[in-house]
Amino acid sequence: MLPGFGGENGHSRFPVPCGGSKINDHIQWLIEQGLTSEHIGDLVAGLCDRLIADGIPIWRASITMPSLHPMYRGVSANFVRGGATVLENAAHGSVEERNFEKTPIFYLLNRGERTGRWILARGEGLDYPQLAEFALAGGTDHLVSLCEFPKEVALRGLGFSLTSDAPGGFSDDQLAIVKALVPALGLAAYRVAASKTATDILAVYTGARTSARILAGETQRGTGGSINAAILIADLRNFTALTEVYQPSEIVGFLNEHFELIDRHVEENSGEILKFMGDSVLAIFPTDAEDPQKACMAALASTKNLLKANEALNRERTKNGGPDIGVDVVLHLGEVFYGNVGARGRLDFTVIGRAVNEASRLEKLCGTLEQHLLMSESFAATCAVACEYLGSFELRGVSKRADVFKLADAVS
């Protein structure tokens, strides 16, 4: 939400603040919170409560920061005196993002300034929709302070906004106190945001379960262990042929649509996608040693839901002349190694092993058998749902022939 910061000085000039010991107390509190807080809402709410207790007439406040999350352009924590502090995300393409140019923060960024003040009681800033709304509700004074972060990261900085509803607004001494606190606030917010960004982005790229293990310290090549899991491999049928007909941007759009619905139904049943491989998806549902059937039923529920959702997606797309893209799914149950695999400087936290290889080979039979869902013998025997035997087949690179099943017609 804050694309960048420029300029060395804001257009406001504040006097040297009074009450240095109080300021030092607030700075110490901000540093401590920066080390322990989990989100910026703690910072804005706690600091405002402390400043209000010191007599600074804060009615509303917010911290606004950019975000590296693929779904959100920015995040803000909004404080209201006597109310709850609310965290809000501005999605890419949202009204909030489109209206960013109509905000005081954008005004300061565009002018290369760090601070700005609009005395609402005098009618200043009413061309900004938010400030007009504040003025109408009794706001008298609005202050914005910007803090710049290192340019090497996309978290460029923060905007700290304070609004007063007191008749005289903020005094010069109070403005100076706020100015003295902004660097410590920025440092604390940067630590909180950097930590959350690392957690969120790692989860986006590796999955929530896997990212938790990585952040817990499982980063050495070869670390991991054997687990039993239901394995789901989903592949878009005849997708390669579409690359001869459609532009790359269209192909990416189709992939994203299908991957989105696969992820949604895998995640809602406690599974996790580990890898996107071209037009295929590898997901696992770790089993409980005492109840492996639970993981199999979760994987089966995910599959049935995603196949149904894929049919709906194709119906909608073909109405507009787009392609009908089928999804083939294989379900298998077996032991896998779950951990770090790769080169010293480039690792993949994934699953490997005979069961993964067998599932991949089974997927090739979907087209041959004209089935969108196939199950291995181990999966069919464990899932406790009526299945139909389709035959025994040789799998490339697998010594033992594989017995293959589908759902019985009565439960398809």
Side-chain angles (χ1 to χ4, degrees):
M1 193 173 292
L2 304 181
F5 290 83
E8 294 297 320
N9 299 297
H11 66 269
S12 296
R13 296 292 184 269
F14 301 146
V16 176
C18 302
S21 61
K22 266 294 187 182
I23 292 176
N24 289 336
D25 288 344
H26 294 321
I27 290 174
Q28 181 65 30
W29 179 87
L30 284 168
I31 293 172
E32 292 172 355
Q33 290 299 304
L35 293 172
T36 59
S37 293
E38 295 184 0
H39 56 75
I40 57 175
D42 293 337
L43 298 177
V44 67
L47 180 60
C48 286
D49 284 342
R50 292 173 66 91
L51 295 179
I52 290 171
D54 286 348
I56 299 180
I58 298 172
W59 171 44
R60 308 180 72 99
S62 70
I63 294 177
T64 303
M65 301 181 69
S67 171
L68 283 181
H69 196 284
M71 292 177 59
Y72 307 117
R73 183 70 177 88
V75 60
S76 63
N78 304 305
F79 167 89
V80 180
R81 187 181 62 230
T85 298
V86 178
L87 290 175
E88 295 181 352
N89 293 306
H92 289 289
S94 64
V95 173
E96 292 84 359
E97 183 183 27
R98 292 195 298 271
N99 290 338
F100 180 58
E101 294 185 4
K102 302 175 183 177
T103 65
I105 290 178
F106 180 82
Y107 169 83
L108 294 178
L109 291 173
N110 204 39
R111 293 171 62 91
E113 300 184 359
R114 299 286 185 84
T115 58
R117 183 186 185 188
W118 291 263
I119 301 178
L120 307 180
R122 298 179 186 169
E124 296 176 3
L126 301 188
D127 48 338
Y128 299 115
Q130 186 183 53
L131 299 196
E133 180 183 334
F134 289 168
L136 189 62
T140 58
D141 202 351
H142 186 77
L143 171 71
V144 177
S145 300
L146 305 184
C147 181
E148 185 178 12
F149 296 160
K151 293 181 172 61
E152 290 77 17
V153 295
L155 295 174
R156 298 295 180 84
L158 68 78
F160 181 44
S161 303
L162 294 174
T163 308
S164 177
D165 58 354
F170 300 113
S171 70
D172 286 346
D173 280 349
Q174 291 166 350
L175 294 173
I177 290 171
V178 172
K179 183 179 181 182
L181 296 177
V182 167
L185 174 62
L187 183 62
Y190 180 75
R191 203 291 306 169
V192 172
S195 178
K196 181 166 177 54
T197 295
T199 302
D200 288 349
I201 292 299
L202 191 60
V204 166
Y205 280 92
T206 67
R209 183 183 292 109
T210 300
S211 67
R213 294 182 65 155
I214 294 171
L215 290 172
E218 292 188 44
T219 57
Q220 185 178 354
R221 183 172 59 166
T223 57
S226 294
I227 65 169
N228 287 301
I231 302 165
L232 181 154
I233 291 183
D235 182 73
L236 302 186
R237 182 175 289 195
N238 299 323
F239 191 81
T240 302
L242 296 179
T243 61
E244 301 293 327
V245 181
Y246 294 92
Q247 295 298 315
S249 60
E250 295 176 296
I251 292 295
V252 170
F254 297 149
L255 281 173
N256 288 340
E257 288 176 335
H258 289 274
F259 287 165
E260 175 68 25
L261 69 84
I262 293 171
D263 177 67
R264 181 168 68 250
H265 294 294
V266 166
E267 188 175 286
E268 73 182 7
N269 286 287
S270 301
E272 182 167 86
I273 290 178
L274 295 182
K275 193 185 295 289
F276 294 102
M277 307 166 291
D279 58 3
S280 300
V281 174
L282 168 64
I284 61 168
F285 298 76
T287 66
D288 183 329
E290 298 180 357
D291 187 13
Q293 186 182 101
K294 182 178 179 181
C296 290
M297 294 304 293
L300 182 58
S302 296
T303 301
K304 293 170 72 173
N305 290 338
L306 75 85
L307 289 175
K308 186 180 298 183
N310 196 70
E311 290 177 359
L313 172 60
N314 281 321
R315 282 196 300 270
E316 191 64 30
R317 187 193 294 126
T318 53
K319 286 180 183 178
N320 300 314
D324 185 310
I325 304 173
V327 174
D328 293 333
V329 180
V330 161
L331 298 174
H332 188 24
L333 178 66
E335 184 180 13
V336 296
F337 175 84
Y338 179 40
N340 285 292
V341 180
R344 293 183 187 180
R346 179 62 177 87
L347 295 174
D348 192 7
F349 204 111
T350 187
V351 291
I352 62 169
R354 185 176 67 184
V356 179
N357 184 50
E358 290 170 349
S360 177
R361 301 308 185 203
L362 282 170
E363 189 277 322
K364 307 303 180 187
L365 293 175
C366 288
T368 302
L369 300 175
E370 286 300 315
Q371 297 292 326
H372 285 295
L373 168 59
L374 294 179
M375 294 174 288
S376 69
E377 180 182 17
S378 60
F379 189 96
T382 307
C383 71
V385 173
C387 299
E388 180 181 332
Y389 178 63
L390 294 177
S392 178
F393 298 86
E394 289 187 357
L395 304 179
R396 185 169 63 87
V398 179
S399 58
K400 183 181 177 182
R401 292 176 67 87
D403 291 333
V404 180
F405 297 78
K406 71 168 189 173
L407 284 179
D409 292 338
V411 295
S412 296

